[in-house]
Amino acid sequence: MSYKTFNQVVLAAIADFTLNGFDSIDRLNRWQREITYSAEQAAKSSKDIDARLKDHLSRIFVSQITNGNALRKHSIPKWTLEKLKPQLRLELDRRIMASAQLIKLNRDEMILRTMRRFSGWATSLPTGGSAAIDKREAAGEIKKALKQLPFSERRVMVDQGMKFKASLDNIIATDGGAIAGIWHCRHGGGYNNRVTHLDRDGHVFVIRGNWAMTDGFMKLDGRQYTDEVTAPAEEINCSCNLQYLYALRDLPASMITEKGRATLAK
């Protein structure tokens, strides 16, 4: 088994097939094994992504929960946040495990793409090889998928961070007594919002089964429930968020019932 770098192995495989062409399945299998092994080592060398991902999510938890920054967004008493900490900590552990699995699947897919590119190129060559092969171009195509791995992993880390923050917000809002939320899209910085998300921008979405609905203080008034649309950050690279509402007075007047208005008047 070769212990050369991924780049060296790919160049050696290209040189061999340039000289001999696709003349036997044994030659193909040997280089597939070599490239797979070296690709796996190259993927590991971008290593500590798992540790950095865990650290990234843990920092979000410390900022939002341990340091209490979530209270700036949620109108709940501090003791409520303290009560929710065990549940929120479980969400951190769950998200770390899920993110690590996603990173692994992403690596495996990049390696598989690399093998498909190599096998497709190698089996297209005639027996006896070819002098017309551009070795640099062939190497570039074969290495393309794995070369994108660090960028892909960074995107996963950012996306998982957004999903984790949204999940924490949802748990706090649901258990903390929120009644609705205003959808906010991210604007500026070249961010490309989904059209369906832009349509939701600024609209109020109601949390199903909330206390105000149960007690007859508010009504839908043509709005949707939060569980009738995709949640903020649910879709890949979504940076939208909900501004959660906890009090009747924060709702549009048309959503408050007669009973609700009477309660506010008191």
Side-chain angles (χ1 to χ4, degrees):
M1 181 67 71
S2 172
Y3 290 92
K4 296 178 182 177
T5 67
F6 172 67
N7 185 58
Q8 290 172 330
V9 172
V10 169
L11 291 176
I14 289 173
D16 189 20
F17 273 88
T18 297
L19 180 64
N20 298 289
F22 178 45
D23 59 349
S24 73
I25 195 67
D26 288 338
R27 187 186 303 278
L28 179 65
N29 288 341
R30 178 171 69 85
W31 283 113
Q32 283 177 334
R33 289 193 299 271
E34 293 269 2
I35 291 175
T36 297
Y37 177 78
S38 62
E40 287 172 348
Q41 300 311 302
K44 288 178 183 176
S45 69
S46 68
K47 51 184 178 186
D48 55 23
I49 180 65
D50 291 340
R52 286 190 289 119
L53 181 59
K54 181 178 180 179
D55 182 64
H56 178 58
L57 297 179
S58 297
R59 285 175 182 271
I60 292 173
F61 183 87
V62 169
S63 173
Q64 296 298 306
I65 310 305
T66 306
N67 295 342
N69 287 323
L71 295 174
R72 298 176 183 177
K73 182 176 182 180
H74 297 274
S75 301
I76 59 172
K78 188 175 181 179
W79 65 264
T80 299
L81 185 61
E82 288 293 326
K83 184 184 71 172
L84 291 173
K85 269 188 179 180
Q87 184 179 350
L88 298 171
R89 171 66 69 175
L90 287 175
E91 179 62 18
L92 169 63
D93 295 339
R94 188 180 75 91
R95 182 64 61 180
I96 288 173
M97 290 180 63
S99 298
Q101 184 182 54
L102 184 60
I103 287 290
K104 183 182 183 305
L105 290 173
N106 194 49
R107 285 176 183 165
D108 292 345
E109 172 59 23
M110 290 299 186
I111 292 172
L112 187 59
R113 285 188 197 176
T114 299
M115 293 312 305
R116 283 199 297 262
R117 286 174 180 272
F118 169 71
S119 297
W121 173 82
T123 55
S124 71
L125 299 180
T127 300
S130 171
I133 293 172
D134 186 327
K135 295 181 182 179
R136 176 179 292 184
E137 181 180 340
E141 284 298 311
I142 292 168
K143 295 188 295 181
K144 186 178 290 184
L146 210 65
K147 192 175 181 180
Q148 294 172 343
L149 184 59
F151 172 72
S152 175
E153 289 179 336
R154 285 195 298 272
R155 289 188 64 181
V156 168
M157 186 159 64
V158 172
D159 186 48
Q160 287 300 300
M162 293 297 298
K163 285 174 166 52
F164 180 49
K165 286 181 71 174
S167 181
L168 291 177
D169 281 336
N170 181 59
I171 292 171
I172 294 170
T174 302
D175 289 18
I179 57 179
I182 302 174
W183 188 284
H184 290 295
C185 288
R186 173 183 167 185
H187 296 284
Y191 181 74
N192 187 22
N193 282 288
R194 293 173 171 83
V195 175
T196 53
H197 291 197
L198 284 173
D199 291 340
R200 302 173 194 170
D201 200 21
H203 288 221
V204 175
F205 291 84
V206 177
I207 295 176
R208 192 186 296 274
N210 72 73
W211 62 267
M213 289 283 283
T214 301
D215 292 344
F217 294 143
M218 68 177 285
K219 55 187 176 181
L220 275 178
D221 190 42
R223 270 75 175 184
Q224 290 179 286
Y225 287 109
T226 53
D227 59 17
E228 292 180 318
V229 295
T230 53
E234 179 179 336
E235 294 170 88
I236 295 175
N237 298 320
C238 171
S239 295
C240 299
N241 69 89
L242 279 176
Q243 173 192 342
Y244 287 99
L245 308 178
Y246 288 80
L248 288 176
R249 67 179 67 89
D250 296 328
L251 295 172
S254 61
M255 295 183 67
I256 304 175
T257 63
E258 288 291 338
K259 184 179 180 182
R261 281 193 286 273
T263 299
L264 287 176
K266 295 178 182 178

